[in-house]
Amino acid sequence: MENYIANYPVTFYIVVANVIVSLGALYLYPKLIETGYLKPYRTVRKNTWYELLTSGFLHANLGHLFVNMFTLYFFGPVMERVLGGAYFLGLYLTGLVVAGIPSVIKFKDDPNYATLGASGAVGSVLFAFIFLFPMEKIYLMLIPIPIPAFVFAILYLIYSMYASKQERGKINHEAHLAGALWGIFYLVIFVPNTIDHFLTVFGLV
């Protein structure tokens, strides 16, 4: 653990912050969830835009928290090592904000809609990894065999686009889709030589 902290401090402290804030809200101070939720109706009328960040450090339950932090724990260090701490932190935080924007637009007139969780930011990290390492194998809990990262990405995006058009369920597919796409755009826009690396992986240069 000491090596993990020393080598990947940004990932470690993001995970710690999520765990502390989420557990505190769930078991010690439930009002924190109401305050930190992303509630688009409230956001646009009271200018509580901080919710785009605060909602990303809150989770609905232990399972929700575990899945997001488990994913970040394994993919975060790779991206932190490749990008460096500053770029990686920028990827994560901008991923939180960008992932929430579609929800604000879609549900700004719905007073009952609220969302929370780090899924959008974690999706940004995951898809940044996939963009840089498209041929790496990814293991999923429900699929017993490894699949290429780019195949997972295609299936994930197709499902998210389909699910976002459905008017049922509590999963914020808009945030998943926006966060995933932002992970790619962030690399292309802010990280030098990203396109060259991508083309090299597929033997195009």
Side-chain angles (χ1 to χ4, degrees):
M1 180 59 72
E2 290 183 2
N3 289 335
Y4 189 98
I5 298 172
N7 294 326
Y8 316 113
V10 177
T11 302
F12 176 78
Y13 287 113
I14 289 175
V15 171
V16 169
N18 271 276
V19 170
I20 290 176
V21 174
S22 294
L23 293 182
L26 285 170
Y27 298 107
L28 298 177
Y29 193 67
K31 288 185 178 180
L32 186 60
I33 294 180
E34 175 60 31
T35 302
Y37 257 133
L38 174 59
K39 303 185 76 171
Y41 188 87
R42 176 176 67 187
T43 304
V44 299
R45 286 164 177 78
K46 297 186 177 181
N47 289 319
T48 53
W49 296 98
Y50 63 82
E51 296 169 11
L52 289 168
L53 285 174
T54 57
S55 61
F57 289 88
L58 298 165
H59 290 80
N61 51 54
L62 288 179
H64 188 203
L65 175 64
F66 174 78
V67 170
N68 279 333
M69 294 305 101
F70 181 82
T71 304
L72 183 61
Y73 183 85
F74 284 102
F75 289 97
V78 178
M79 296 311 301
E80 185 173 352
R81 183 175 66 249
V82 171
L83 301 179
Y87 276 121
F88 177 70
L89 182 61
L91 169 65
Y92 188 87
L93 294 180
T94 57
L96 277 183
V97 173
V98 171
I101 292 175
S103 296
V104 173
I105 295 172
K106 183 175 181 178
F107 297 104
K108 66 182 186 301
D109 296 320
D110 184 350
N112 298 314
Y113 181 84
T115 185
L116 77 177
S119 302
V122 173
S124 292
V125 174
L126 177 58
F127 269 69
F129 170 87
I130 291 171
F131 190 72
L132 293 181
F133 307 104
M135 305 308 296
E136 287 293 317
K137 299 296 191 297
I138 290 182
Y139 293 82
L140 302 177
M141 294 180 183
L142 299 179
I143 301 178
I145 58 174
I147 62 175
F150 79 91
V151 173
F152 167 81
I154 293 171
L155 295 176
Y156 182 93
L157 292 175
I158 291 174
Y159 171 72
S160 294
M161 286 186 287
Y162 167 78
S164 69
K165 297 181 183 300
Q166 309 304 306
E167 297 297 332
R168 61 178 182 273
K170 298 181 178 180
I171 299 174
N172 190 344
H173 295 287
E174 289 81 15
H176 291 177
L177 182 59
L181 294 176
W182 178 247
I184 297 172
F185 290 143
Y186 178 89
L187 293 183
V188 173
I189 296 170
F190 296 108
V191 180
N193 303 317
T194 295
I195 295 296
D196 290 340
H197 171 84
F198 181 79
L199 295 176
T200 300
V201 169
F202 285 98
L204 299 177
V205 294

